[in-house]
Amino acid sequence: MATTKPNTKVWLDYTQTELDDQYNQRVLVPNADDYMARWGIESERLRGILNSSLDVAYGPSKAERLDIFPTSADDAPIVIYFHGGAWTRWNKANNSFQAVSFIASGATFVSVDFSLVPQVTLDELIRQCRAAVAWIYKNALDFGANPEKLYIAGHSSGGHEVAMLAITDWAEWGLPSDVIKGAFAASGIYDLEPVRLSSRNEYLNLDEEATRRNSPIHHIRNEMPPIMIAYGEGEQREFRRQSITFAQALRDRGHAVRELDLSGVNHFEVAELYGEIDSSLMSAVLEGMALDKSITAST
């Protein structure tokens, strides 16, 4: 079987090894699991003290579950959060820590679980994310939130999922075309072609058609919600390029885009900014939702 020569460029100016490293944030942050452990501990603590409805089913599989953290504010908007983990790991149990920033500002926070690759295809994972949005829109009034004020947020592979939801034709789901009022994508991947060429495809198993189908940069619609694209100074160059290129592609189509280059933070620290109400990321998110961060949390 033919092998690629070590110095052969496989994507832009990257050799195979270099490309594989660009799509592995742990090359820059070898203690990534420490972040996950800390998020899990804090999320468990908050689930013990916050008003919540946990493990609510939005679909038939065991993975299709979500946690709802309502705010006491009237006519509350909803933020649906999609966790990262390279589409293969982590879950909503590590992602309750962001809830305080949102509920303290008058928004109901919903953290979503979904089946992971390679147990399911990326197409199925995205279908479940769309199903979660549809379920939340149809049931929001039951947990005291306003379905006409629905926002989505995510980090890393969750940022990709947010972008895929932003380009969805919601009429096919029986929902208003503008069901999503704003999208917040941090540290995401928006063109899967270099991912297909990298070692990540050993578990994603993307062919060319699936790659294009799940690359939001190729499916920018004429009507899309306002979108924030954020990325960290300390991220891999390819992750930064992905965000910058997608933001420009949206602008070229006339869409409202806010681009945030977050100084001094690595890939995993970007995610933590969702849990810090005074962070530059959360300030931009709350501004995009027209919420007042001066409201204080009881926790």
Side-chain angles (χ1 to χ4, degrees), residues 167-183:
I167 58 92
T168 296
D169 181 358
W170 289 106
E172 296 179 357
W173 287 78
L175 301 183
S177 60
D178 65 344
V179 60
I180 295 172
K181 299 303 188 289

Side-chain angles (χ1 to χ4, degrees), residues 280-291:
S280 54
L281 177 67
M282 275 304 296
S283 292
V285 168
L286 296 177
E287 183 179 333
M289 298 176 65
L291 288 177

Side-chain angles (χ1 to χ4, degrees), residues 25-246:
Q25 292 286 352
R26 291 165 185 256
V27 170
L28 296 181
V29 191
N31 64 329
D33 287 341
D34 294 345
Y35 290 88
M36 304 305 152
R38 183 164 66 246
W39 300 351
I41 291 169
E42 179 62 5
S43 293
E44 183 177 8
R45 183 187 76 84
L46 289 171
R47 287 195 300 276
I49 61 177
L50 293 175
N51 180 26
S52 63
S53 297
L54 304 178
D55 294 319
V56 178
Y58 68 86
S61 74
K62 291 182 179 180
E64 292 172 86
R65 299 291 184 270
L66 49 83
D67 294 342
I68 303 168
F69 297 88
T71 181
S72 59
D74 294 332
D75 195 36
I78 309 161
V79 174
I80 311 173
Y81 188 82
F82 297 87
H83 69 81
W87 304 283
T88 68
R89 55 186 176 268
W90 312 125
N91 52 57
K92 61 183 175 59
N94 295 89
N95 290 276
S96 305
F97 73 90
Q98 306 93 332
V100 169
S101 293
F102 288 99
I103 63 176
S105 303
T108 287
F109 180 81
V110 181
S111 189
V112 178
D113 260 357
F114 38 82
S115 299
L116 300 173
V117 173
Q119 285 73 34
V120 299
T121 64
L122 188 57
D123 287 299
E124 171 59 15
L125 185 156
I126 296 299
R127 186 205 65 78
Q128 291 183 17
C129 292
R130 288 167 171 153
V133 171
W135 187 94
I136 291 165
Y137 177 81
K138 294 173 182 177
N139 291 275
L141 293 175
D142 292 340
F143 50 88
N146 186 341
E148 305 305 327
K149 297 181 180 180
L150 192 154
Y151 297 81
I152 54 176
H155 171 258
S156 194
S157 53
H160 165 261
E161 291 149 19
V162 163
M164 289 296 293
L165 296 170
I167 58 92
T168 296
D169 181 358
W170 289 106
E172 296 179 357
W173 287 78
L175 301 183
S177 60
D178 65 344
V179 60
I180 295 172
K181 299 303 188 289
F184 310 106
S187 305
I189 295 173
Y190 310 104
D191 181 358
L192 295 185
E193 180 60 15
V195 176
R196 183 181 71 84
L197 297 173
S198 79
S199 57
R200 285 197 178 201
N201 210 36
E202 293 173 5
Y203 61 78
L204 284 169
N205 296 310
L206 296 171
D207 58 21
E208 291 184 7
E209 290 184 0
T211 297
R212 189 170 184 86
R213 188 165 59 245
N214 289 289
S215 293
I217 199 167
H218 296 308
H219 304 285
I220 297 173
R221 298 168 58 81
N222 290 332
E223 295 183 4
M224 286 181 58
I227 187 164
M228 182 194 76
I229 305 293
Y231 47 92
E233 179 184 14
E235 304 214 48
Q236 291 284 16
R237 292 190 306 276
E238 264 293 278
F239 273 72
R240 289 175 57 82
R241 183 197 64 79
Q242 287 261 0
S243 291
I244 293 166
T245 302
F246 186 49

